[in-house]
Amino acid sequence: MELSYDYALDRDCTTLSRHVLQQLQSFGPEAQDLSAIMSRIALAGKIISRRLSRAGLVEGALGFTGDINVQGEAVKKMDLFANEVFIAVFKQSGLVCQMASEEMEKPYYIPENCPIGRYSLLYDPIDGSSNVDINLNVGSIFSIRQQAGDDPEQIGANLLQNGHHQLASGYILYGPSTMLVYSIGTGVHSFTLDPSLGEFILSSENVRIPNHGPIYSVNEGNFWQWDDAIRDFIRYVHRHEGYTARYSGALVGDIHRILFQGGVFLYPGTLKDPQGKLRLLYESAPLAFLIEQAGGAASTGVRPLLNEMPQYLHQRTPLIIGSKEDVALVESFIEERIKLDRDKLQVTP
Ligand code: AHM
Ligand code: MG
């Protein structure tokens, strides 16, 4: 006899670790490792989510530490806490040999894990942390790469590879509910934290980003600091029907909206910061991998983002990411300006 609650039970049992094994169609060592890494990331997400949900009630959760990080930005208490949560869940895990994050100048090397831990984890523990103090959404971003050797001299240097070397990536969105969205190279899947079970449960499988969408997401306060090409694009969306602006100040939330509804997110270079604000290895590349897996595109404006070779760990890069047609539209404005500039140079005697 078929029971009517079979479907609900099956869904409740589709946890993240089980899903990874299903996706890889294997119980081999690599599949087991990746499944275990994802379940540790989920644990980090649950601990961070728990603290965020009570941040206004507990001591030492809100505000700044008074320190300045390697990027020259003021460190928030929550940034530091979340960074340590990731380290705590991966220490003595035997899974990850080194961890690199926005909050640490150098990668965190875990020698005791290295003989067996064949992976590196790159992450932004709390992205969009200016939203923490006002109780708006923030996120964590992660990327898993194969560890290349365990020579301590090479630690850090071996992370400098393009985004195609990622084995998996994703983000955790701390919003009205906590969601974890990941890709392991087999499409994009989203999970919602069920607080009553304390587990991330599958909520959408094989998410596909629309080819075109209405959203454009950019900090227009930087308008006069952009190149002409980006200003051309913004003027275009202002003058055409069917576009609407959404910008939360936290990349993960903005990307999540675009993943489900379509559109484009931009953080281009500015006069002050020609490479923009977002970091290649643990912000832009993981999201580019994920969005491409969902059928979208990611670009620096002139090249596919995933082809970009980092020269150093905390390198920044301009980012244009989202629906294929919308990313191509922005790129076409950039190409047009490059052509105009080239023509001008040729005319000038
Ligand atoms: P953070 O990692 O220091 O929080 O900075 C990254 C965040 C992104 O989440 C967001 O898209 C961007 O900074 C917002 O920057 P701005 O305030 O310049 O628009
Ligand atoms: Mg960040």
Side-chain angles (χ1 to χ4, degrees):
M1 187 183 74
E2 199 175 314
L3 297 172
S4 56
Y5 42 73
D6 266 5
Y7 170 76
L9 268 182
D10 199 43
R11 199 202 53 201
D12 278 356
C13 293
T14 308
T15 59
L16 193 56
S17 48
R18 172 171 142 179
H19 195 259
V20 172
L21 295 174
Q22 278 172 359
Q23 286 295 307
L24 294 175
Q25 295 181 347
S26 157
F27 290 102
E30 168 134 334
Q32 295 286 357
D33 282 352
L34 289 171
S35 163
I37 291 174
M38 286 307 302
S39 106
R40 299 264 172 161
I41 291 173
L43 174 60
K46 288 181 232 175
I47 298 172
I48 295 167
S49 171
R50 183 179 63 181
R51 189 157 179 92
L52 282 170
S53 68
R54 295 184 297 155
L57 301 174
V58 294
E59 283 291 305
L62 300 179
F64 293 93
T65 62
D67 295 328
I68 301 291
N69 71 10
V70 59
Q71 333 274 330
E73 296 160 348
V75 179
K76 297 220 131 178
K77 290 177 185 159
M78 207 55 214
D79 287 326
L80 219 59
F81 171 78
N83 191 51
E84 306 223 328
V85 167
F86 273 91
I87 292 175
V89 301
F90 278 103
K91 255 201 231 166
Q92 290 163 351
S93 63
L95 291 165
V96 156
C97 176
Q98 64 178 325
M99 303 173 66
S101 107
E102 183 175 328
E103 301 306 328
M104 299 185 288
E105 185 176 351
K106 295 194 174 130
Y108 186 91
Y109 176 45
I110 318 177
E112 65 272 23
N113 280 356
C114 281
I116 40 171
R118 293 178 291 119
Y119 305 91
S120 308
L121 180 77
L122 294 114
Y123 64 109
D124 183 356
I126 293 281
D127 185 67
S129 51
S130 73
N131 277 7
V132 168
D133 290 351
I134 48 166
N135 192 29
L136 289 181
N137 71 280
V138 290
S140 302
I141 304 173
F142 59 87
S143 163
I144 303 166
R145 294 180 181 230
Q146 197 85 52
Q147 170 67 29
D150 60 359
D151 175 0
E153 296 296 312
Q154 286 302 309
I155 291 303
N158 54 19
L159 291 173
L160 304 181
Q161 293 177 353
N162 71 31
H164 296 290
H165 284 83
Q166 296 173 102
L167 296 175
S169 76
Y171 58 78
I172 304 164
L173 171 62
Y174 309 100
S177 61
T178 299
M179 295 188 73
L180 190 153
V181 180
Y182 88 103
S183 176
I184 206 152
T186 60
V188 172
H189 316 289
S190 101
F191 288 70
T192 301
L193 180 61
D194 181 336
S196 65
L197 295 172
E199 282 283 3
F200 282 99
I201 302 297
L202 180 66
S203 43
S204 311
E205 204 168 33
N206 293 315
V207 180
R208 302 296 292 171
I209 182 170
N211 273 335
H212 162 69
I215 313 289
Y216 73 97
S217 187
V218 65
N219 185 345
E220 285 195 59
N222 292 332
F223 190 88
W224 294 110
Q225 289 216 49
W226 293 330
D227 282 350
D228 285 331
I230 303 297
R231 295 205 288 238
D232 290 344
F233 169 72
I234 295 301
R235 289 191 189 102
Y236 176 90
V237 298
H238 286 176
R239 289 170 189 164
H240 287 78
E241 226 177 283
Y243 290 96
T244 187
R246 291 287 184 274
Y247 192 74
S248 72
L251 177 62
V252 169
D254 291 330
I255 293 288
H256 190 71
R257 181 196 289 276
I258 286 169
L259 173 63
F260 282 87
Q261 299 179 346
V264 62
F265 175 95
L266 305 92
Y267 209 113
T270 58
L271 275 180
K272 209 166 75 199
D273 299 304
Q275 292 307 305
K277 178 176 185 188
L278 303 173
R279 272 61 48 130
L280 175 58
L281 278 164
Y282 43 79
E283 291 178 324
S284 304
L287 295 174
F289 181 84
L290 188 96
I291 290 291
E292 285 204 1
Q293 281 290 320
S299 166
T300 62
V302 288
R303 292 184 276 287
L305 194 289
L306 288 179
N307 291 357
E308 198 66 356
M309 262 310 275
Q311 306 299 316
Y312 54 95
L313 185 61
H314 298 288
Q315 184 169 321
R316 296 174 197 254
T317 175
L319 176 66
I320 295 151
I321 185 168
S323 298
K324 261 195 179 143
E325 287 176 17
D326 300 295
V327 171
L329 180 65
V330 179
E331 283 178 326
S332 72
F333 282 100
I334 295 172
E335 267 163 41
E336 188 59 32
R337 280 286 175 177
I338 293 175
K339 207 166 134 279
L340 278 176
D341 290 346
R342 209 183 301 129
D343 291 351
K344 260 193 226 155
L345 275 180
Q346 278 166 4
V347 172
T348 318

